[in-house]
Amino acid sequence: MDATRPSRTAPTQQGAQMKIGLVGLGKMGGNMRERLRAGGIEVVGYDRNPDVSDVESLEAMVAALEAPRLVWVMVPSGEITRQTIADLGDLLREGDLVIDGGNSKWLDDAQNAAHLHERGIGFVDCGVSGGVWGKDNGYGLMCGGSAENVERAMPVFDALRPEGPREEGFVHAGEVGAGHYTKMVHNGIEYGLMQAYAEGYELLAKKDLVTNVPGAFKAWSRGTVVRSWLLDLMVRALEDDPELDRIRGYVDDTGEGRWTVQEGVENAVPMPVISSALFARFVSRQDDSPAMKAVAALRNQFGGHAVKAVEEGPSAPGSPSQSDAG
């Protein structure tokens, strides 16, 4: 068999004797623990929530592993990840390996790797995509690190990734930082795709001519060039709530969209779609846009156009306005 296209039985056979530590057992981490165990890998999980943790402390987790140890960190990005990796640096020993599978900023990876390297501990950064569906469908994995460290963790990656050829759900993207950088760009693209579906939904819903908007999205799910897993999820959402009137139009961002746009600026790469999608999320959090208040005030100043007082409320949807001509 081609070594780059292993079957799904390979991870179980290779990883039958493997035992790893997993820090962080939230929605993603908890599901990953189940998928790893189903793949034949023994997992000792630690979480600050004792109801889901296998052991009572980080120290107990490390003590339960045999050298050379492999520990996967799956906690929120930023200071929590940095502190967890620093703590592991004090507990692990030379020859051990740490994988950061959270949504860390790629610039943090070099610092975390350097901290561990001083102690002879290896480091791999791994962007993970798949959300709550990953336990059953597998996770898309994007790794950065040395070839030796990535290969050492391959039974774990094989157990987590989707069924099928390895290269269709896993990539060793480059050196330390490349995994999280690739995941950052992935999430930036995701922003743009979601925004395009959302704008199409709004236009269809606004037009009285179209009376079956959920059906239109479902009809796109086979045989069209816009079909995707995101489209499938949109269909699912519309079947559950056809007019989306049970949720607010408030959209947060995890930071990776911002980092992607910042990198576009730094590298002079035009990103109008991703940038617009990010800014649309900012707009979604404003009850009354200060910028649009300024526009209304300016139109009134130069053209005498009417302005609405706060108590008057918004204009009727789709109502025409006067020309902006001064």
Side-chain angles (χ1 to χ4, degrees), residues 286-325:
Q286 296 180 318
D287 292 327
D288 193 10
S289 168
M292 296 315 294
K293 285 184 178 183
V295 171
L298 285 169
R299 292 180 73 248
N300 177 257
Q301 290 293 321
F302 72 70
H305 303 296
V307 293
K308 282 186 173 290
V310 173
E311 60 270 17
E312 292 183 76
S315 301
S319 60
S321 63
Q322 298 180 40
S323 169
D324 279 334

Side-chain angles (χ1 to χ4, degrees), residues 199-221:
E199 291 173 7
Y201 166 78
E202 182 171 356
L203 182 57
L204 287 173
K206 186 68 68 72
K207 189 70 173 177
D208 291 339
L209 180 67
V210 180
T211 58
N212 186 2
V213 176
F217 272 85
K218 192 166 188 176
W220 294 344
S221 61

Side-chain angles (χ1 to χ4, degrees), residues 179-203:
H180 281 144
Y181 195 94
T182 303
K183 177 58 163 48
M184 174 193 75
V185 175
H186 165 281
N187 279 28
I189 293 170
E190 181 183 294
Y191 277 42
L193 291 172
M194 286 193 286
Q195 187 65 25
Y197 286 132
E199 291 173 7
Y201 166 78
E202 182 171 356
L203 182 57

Side-chain angles (χ1 to χ4, degrees), residues 51-321:
D51 294 335
V52 299
S53 190
D54 297 324
V55 291
E56 62 184 14
S57 66
L58 202 61
E59 293 83 356
M61 183 202 72
V62 171
L65 304 174
E66 296 83 23
R69 303 168 188 83
L70 192 159
V71 177
W72 187 299
V73 177
M74 203 70 191
V75 299
S77 62
E79 184 55 35
I80 297 177
T81 293
R82 289 189 288 269
Q83 187 58 55
T84 300
I85 290 175
D87 292 342
L88 286 170
D90 294 333
L91 295 170
L92 297 173
R93 295 293 180 263
E94 184 176 352
D96 293 343
L97 176 63
V98 173
I99 300 173
D100 176 11
N103 283 332
S104 294
K105 192 169 186 177
W106 64 281
L107 292 171
D108 288 350
D109 294 325
Q111 298 178 26
N112 290 332
H115 176 79
L116 294 175
H117 181 73
E118 292 175 357
R119 294 158 173 76
I121 302 167
F123 178 83
V124 170
D125 60 287
C126 184
V128 180
S129 180
V132 297
W133 302 87
K135 183 181 73 171
D136 297 324
N137 298 338
Y139 300 90
L141 305 173
M142 298 144 263
C143 294
S146 70
E148 178 183 0
N149 285 335
V150 170
E151 184 59 33
R152 176 177 165 187
M154 196 57 73
V156 176
F157 299 141
D158 277 341
L160 288 172
R161 66 176 176 81
E163 294 186 9
R166 179 184 288 163
E167 64 269 23
E168 293 181 6
F170 169 87
V171 63
H172 179 192
E175 293 301 314
V176 166
H180 281 144
Y181 195 94
T182 303
K183 177 58 163 48
M184 174 193 75
V185 175
H186 165 281
N187 279 28
I189 293 170
E190 181 183 294
Y191 277 42
L193 291 172
M194 286 193 286
Q195 187 65 25
Y197 286 132
E199 291 173 7
Y201 166 78
E202 182 171 356
L203 182 57
L204 287 173
K206 186 68 68 72
K207 189 70 173 177
D208 291 339
L209 180 67
V210 180
T211 58
N212 186 2
V213 176
F217 272 85
K218 192 166 188 176
W220 294 344
S221 61
R222 289 183 183 271
T224 79
V225 295
V226 299
R227 66 190 186 275
S228 72
W229 184 34
L230 279 174
L231 179 62
D232 294 341
L233 295 177
M234 185 71 180
V235 170
R236 181 185 177 95
L238 290 174
E239 287 179 340
D240 182 56
D241 185 5
E243 297 182 0
L244 301 181
D245 53 8
R246 297 206 300 268
I247 59 175
R248 285 184 58 203
Y250 180 103
V251 186
D252 215 334
D253 69 285
T254 59
E256 288 179 301
R258 302 186 191 202
W259 303 339
T260 305
V261 172
Q262 289 166 358
E263 279 297 295
V265 173
E266 289 296 321
N267 292 278
V269 175
M271 292 185 168
V273 172
I274 295 174
S275 299
S276 296
L278 174 64
F279 295 147
R281 294 192 179 198
F282 296 165
V283 171
S284 79
R285 302 169 209 168
Q286 296 180 318
D287 292 327
D288 193 10
S289 168
M292 296 315 294
K293 285 184 178 183
V295 171
L298 285 169
R299 292 180 73 248
N300 177 257
Q301 290 293 321
F302 72 70
H305 303 296
V307 293
K308 282 186 173 290
V310 173
E311 60 270 17
E312 292 183 76
S315 301
S319 60
S321 63

